[in-house]
Amino acid sequence: MDIDQLSRSPIGSLVPIHGRDARFGEFAYFSFLAEPLPDDILGLSSSTWTRVAEASAALAKLDQACLQLPEPRLLIRPTLWREALDTSALEGTVGTLRELLEAQLPSAQFISPETVEIRAYERVALQAFEEIKHRDISVSLLCSLQNQLFRDDASNKPLDLGRVRQNHVWIGDEKLPIQESRFVPAPGDDRLQLGMSNWEAWVQANHSHLPPVLRAALAHYQFETLHPFGDGNGRVGRLVIVLQLLKAGAIQHPAITVSAWFLRRRIEYQDHLLAVSASGDWNPWIQFFCQAISEQCARLIPSADRLVLWVSEARRKLVEKRWHGAIHGLLESLTEWPVITIADTAAQHGVSVMNATRMVNHLVEIGVLEELTGRSHNRMFGATEVMRTVDSV
């Protein structure tokens, strides 16, 4: 950590900390304690305000695209898959879309530890989207979400699970001592508790003079800089971006994903957050954040159009073939669950295995499904066009 640079920060201070590292023994070092967010942001450049306006317009356009979809879920659920994969990848957990989807099948027998973690994010996000319909974004809500992230991960539960941490943490190479870390966030004591209380009050305050996109950028910096949890800060912090935009009414549907964009620029993302702490200059970070929002919206809208076209063309083929009944329900479900087995199809749609086999074979015949395993038994089928669309976001 650049002690000299951070010691001159106009928006925070270095505070001494002491502790013990199981690998390197006792240590005495410093951590960065961010000051509370200001109620007004002074000195933003005209180019920054332009980026804020562009990102706000992009969100409105994405939300309008969702409203025009026959079913907003055509975009929302695939977006959530992509966010679950990419936000976990930013934390170092790599999985594939196919693994994630296969693991959701009722018949799934083996689920990798990576997929457990990615599925947990998807489950937590869906829970959060429901909860903020009737409650504010709060520290207690985020503690509950962080607890849920690690519910099924018995081997990797962090200290202070489900509450603001009471220990020191640092960011950087795990093999190196704290003195060689990239950044040491707020000390795990009453100062962190106060910092998160101030963060909560700021997020819940009106601040109607600040556009929702700008508020989300500021709150995300503060959350990641305070780093309130022993693990899962990135995943929870990026989820809060969507929750803030929903709560502020900037979007009606949780169809925005930013982790994919940040993942492609991981080092730049980390550098921008650190630069705010060092310089107190919000302009570069806010512009970077707004660029993420604008460009992801621009990628997501064509994805929605492709899914609508795919469903429409598949329906047309069903009508031409004069196939009726449950096969239409199976087609609709593929935009939310594009990997299936015959047994799971029979159970989900209340048909016999024979009829489920016929339905799946029909969809293979018209190119809606493809067999994925190459096996003659325990076969798995996928709507590969849906999967390709998700992977392109």
Side-chain angles (χ1 to χ4, degrees):
M1 186 166 72
D2 191 333
I3 297 293
D4 182 61
Q5 192 176 41
L6 288 171
S7 67
R8 300 193 300 271
S9 171
I11 60 170
S13 58
L14 289 176
V15 295
I17 57 173
H18 305 271
R20 178 175 178 79
D21 184 340
R23 300 158 300 175
F24 301 101
E26 301 289 333
F27 65 81
Y29 199 52
F30 299 92
S31 68
F32 182 80
L33 183 61
E35 294 179 357
L37 287 170
D39 288 326
D40 206 355
I41 301 299
L42 303 175
L44 292 185
S45 66
S46 60
S47 59
T48 296
W49 283 111
T50 298
R51 296 292 179 271
V52 170
E54 289 170 350
S56 301
L59 282 171
K61 188 174 181 181
L62 175 63
D63 210 46
Q64 189 61 32
C66 284
L67 293 172
Q68 292 175 350
L69 293 176
E71 287 288 346
R73 64 186 173 85
L74 285 173
L75 188 56
I76 293 170
R77 197 57 182 264
T79 298
L80 184 54
W81 297 332
R82 185 73 266 160
E83 181 72 3
L85 289 165
D86 291 329
T87 199
S88 295
L90 272 164
E91 305 301 307
T93 299
V94 178
T96 68
L97 177 62
R98 178 172 165 180
E99 288 172 342
L100 173 62
L101 297 171
E102 288 178 7
Q104 295 188 65
L105 294 173
S107 59
Q109 295 180 346
F110 171 75
I111 303 176
S112 70
E114 292 80 11
T115 303
V116 168
E117 183 174 316
I118 294 166
R119 281 183 64 190
Y121 177 85
E122 182 185 14
R123 182 186 67 245
V124 165
L126 289 171
Q127 173 189 336
F129 297 154
E130 286 301 312
E131 291 207 30
I132 63 156
K133 291 178 181 178
H134 52 79
R135 64 183 292 190
D136 289 331
I137 299 171
S138 65
V139 174
S140 64
L141 171 62
L142 302 192
C143 286
S144 173
L145 298 178
Q146 190 255 2
N147 184 42
Q148 289 297 312
L149 274 178
F150 296 92
R151 187 186 72 184
D152 300 328
D153 192 354
S155 64
N156 193 36
K157 292 188 187 297
L159 294 173
D160 300 321
L161 181 62
R163 62 179 181 174
V164 175
R165 61 180 168 83
Q166 297 179 320
N167 60 302
H168 302 308
V169 298
W170 49 95
I171 301 167
D173 190 330
E174 294 179 355
K175 301 184 182 71
L176 299 177
I178 186 172
Q179 292 85 353
E180 297 181 53
S181 61
R182 176 183 176 85
F183 182 71
V184 184
D189 55 28
D190 291 346
R191 288 168 290 186
L192 175 58
Q193 300 283 342
L194 178 60
M196 286 306 296
S197 294
N198 289 332
W199 179 88
E200 177 186 282
W202 193 92
V203 168
Q204 292 180 5
N206 189 1
H207 292 134
S208 58
H209 60 294
L210 301 177
V213 170
L214 179 55
R215 300 203 299 268
L218 298 175
H220 185 70
Y221 159 79
Q222 189 79 348
F223 182 91
E224 296 301 337
T225 301
L226 289 169
H227 224 68
F229 300 124
D231 199 359
N233 293 282
R235 282 165 282 173
V236 175
R238 286 183 289 276
L239 177 57
V240 171
I241 294 171
V242 183
L243 298 182
Q244 277 189 271
L245 295 174
L246 285 166
K247 199 70 179 175
I251 53 176
Q252 303 301 314
H253 302 286
I256 179 65
T257 169
V258 293
S259 293
W261 199 89
F262 287 150
L263 180 61
R264 293 190 290 270
R265 300 160 180 82
R266 183 173 185 165
I267 300 301
E268 192 178 357
Y269 167 63
Q270 295 171 339
D271 286 346
H272 271 292
L273 290 172
L274 186 56
V276 177
S277 297
S279 68
D281 183 359
W282 293 98
N283 287 284
W285 161 247
I286 293 170
Q287 291 188 30
F288 181 78
F289 183 91
C290 289
Q291 185 183 357
I293 296 290
S294 296
E295 292 188 7
Q296 282 303 103
C297 287
R299 292 173 73 97
L300 287 161
I301 293 171
S303 296
D305 293 339
R306 284 196 297 273
L307 288 172
V308 169
L309 183 62
W310 179 82
V311 172
S312 177
E313 180 63 15
R315 284 195 192 119
R316 183 188 64 77
K317 291 178 180 178
L318 293 184
V319 171
E320 282 184 354
K321 294 286 188 178
R322 297 184 179 179
W323 292 332
H324 305 290
I327 192 170
H328 287 265
L330 173 57
L331 171 64
E332 298 296 331
S333 70
L334 291 175
T335 56
E336 289 199 65
W337 203 336
V339 173
I340 63 171
T341 66
I342 288 173
D344 292 327
T345 298
Q348 181 184 358
H349 296 277
V351 298
S352 67
V353 171
M354 182 180 296
N355 281 337
T357 302
R358 184 181 299 113
M359 289 159 53
V360 169
N361 287 341
H362 283 338
L363 293 180
V364 170
E365 179 185 331
I366 62 174
V368 168
L369 289 175
E370 293 180 23
E371 208 285 316
L372 301 176
T373 65
R375 300 190 297 256
S376 59
H377 62 286
N378 295 329
R379 295 183 300 166
M380 195 167 294
F381 301 84
T384 52
E385 181 59 27
V386 176
M387 296 163 72
R388 278 193 292 267
T389 299
V390 175
D391 274 332
S392 71
V393 173

